[in-house]
């Protein structure tokens, strides 16, 4: 059962405004209708790992300056580069994918685990809450992340899984493989257009990681799909989950 809409209206956790957040959290916590949380699905780049890929530079390299400016003006919430190049000729696609692969390789070479990721992973593991991953990066990057972080997310879907985010299909696939309902899952990511959209379209809760406050800009205020929650670091996620969800261990989840 989901929280009544007035209480689920965008809950923003900012340390500087903890009093306002706490008042909402107390109202949620006192309700017997807190939803059961049985799984958390994470984005990888910029969420579980420190953002090191210069996506805007990558988009410019793929599209060219003029086309980049045109598409960006038409898509204020962000550019879906993978979707855009699907209509190109095979030769153009090959060139574009090579540019993207070069940028991703540079990112993998500088891979850093996001502060708070390991502690949050351990908390979810201790509560027997499933942990999955969805990324638009390649499987090789996911394998490297698993190897270097020591954390294992399963299922972990890379862009080889089609259709990819923001389509809800990968999140629905994970829910199905876990045997849970989307309303028992939280999607956490740093992209409004990919992660939040994927989560909301699937019927899950969506938590936006916005470290810099970029999504406070007026250009994002009228987007169609908004997150249920917003945090500025992964360190804030545990208390958010404890306040707003029933975290009773799932008997079907292995220890």
């Amino acid at each position: 059962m989901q929280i009544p809409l007035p209480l689920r209206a965008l809950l923003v956790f900012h340390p500087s405004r903890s009093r306002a957040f706490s008042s909402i959290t107390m109202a949620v916590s006192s309700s017997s209708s807190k939803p059961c949380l049985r799984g958390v699905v994470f984005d990888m780049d910029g969420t579980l790992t420190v953002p090191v890929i210069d996506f805007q530079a990558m988009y410019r390299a793929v599209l060219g300056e003029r086309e980049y400016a045109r598409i960006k003006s038409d898509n204020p919430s962000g550019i879906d580069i993978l979707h855009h190049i699907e209509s190109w000729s095979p030769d153009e696609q090959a060139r574009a994918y090579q540019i993207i692969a070069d940028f991703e390789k540079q990112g993998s070479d500088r891979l850093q685990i996001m502060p708070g990721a390991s502690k949050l992973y351990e908390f979810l593991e201790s509560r027997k809450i499933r942990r999955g991953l969805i990324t638009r990066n390649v499987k090789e990057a996911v394998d490297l992340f698993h190897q270097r972080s020591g954390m294992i997310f399963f299922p972990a879907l890379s862009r080889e899984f089609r259709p990819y985010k923001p389509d809800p299909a990968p999140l629905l696939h994970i829910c199905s493989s876990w045997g849970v309902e989307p309303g028992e899952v939280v999607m956490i990511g740093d992209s409004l257009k990919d992660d939040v959209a994927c989560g909301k379209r699937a019927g899950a809760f969506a938590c936006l990681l916005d470290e810099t406050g970029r999504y406070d800009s007026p250009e994002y205020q009228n987007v169609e799909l908004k997150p249920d929650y917003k945090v500025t670091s992964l360190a804030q996620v545990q208390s958010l989950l404890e306040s707003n969800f029933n975290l009773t261990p799932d008997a079907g989840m292995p220890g």
Side-chain angles (χ1 to χ4, degrees), residues 54-75 79 81 84:
D54 187 340
F55 286 101
Q56 304 310 311
M58 181 176 74
Y59 299 157
R60 288 187 176 94
V62 172
L63 299 169
E65 287 291 344
R66 181 176 297 181
E67 184 69 358
Y68 167 79
R70 183 189 69 79
I71 296 175
K72 184 173 176 58
S73 66
D74 293 339
N75 300 272
I79 296 175
I81 192 69
H84 186 77

Side-chain angles (χ1 to χ4, degrees), residues 182-240:
E184 300 173 314
V185 171
V186 173
M187 175 78 201
I188 301 177
D190 67 321
S191 172
L192 197 61
K193 73 176 180 65
D194 292 330
D195 305 315
V196 171
C198 176
K200 298 304 293 180
R201 288 170 179 165
F205 292 89
C207 178
L208 177 66
L209 173 61
D210 186 10
E211 291 188 289
T212 63
R214 63 174 289 210
Y215 289 111
D216 292 334
S217 172
E219 65 182 301
Y220 299 109
Q221 299 310 304
N222 295 319
V223 295
E224 177 187 0
L225 299 170
K226 298 179 185 291
D228 299 285
Y229 310 102
K230 180 181 173 185
V231 296
T232 58
S233 74
L234 290 182
Q236 298 168 351
V237 174
Q238 178 177 333
S239 59
L240 185 152

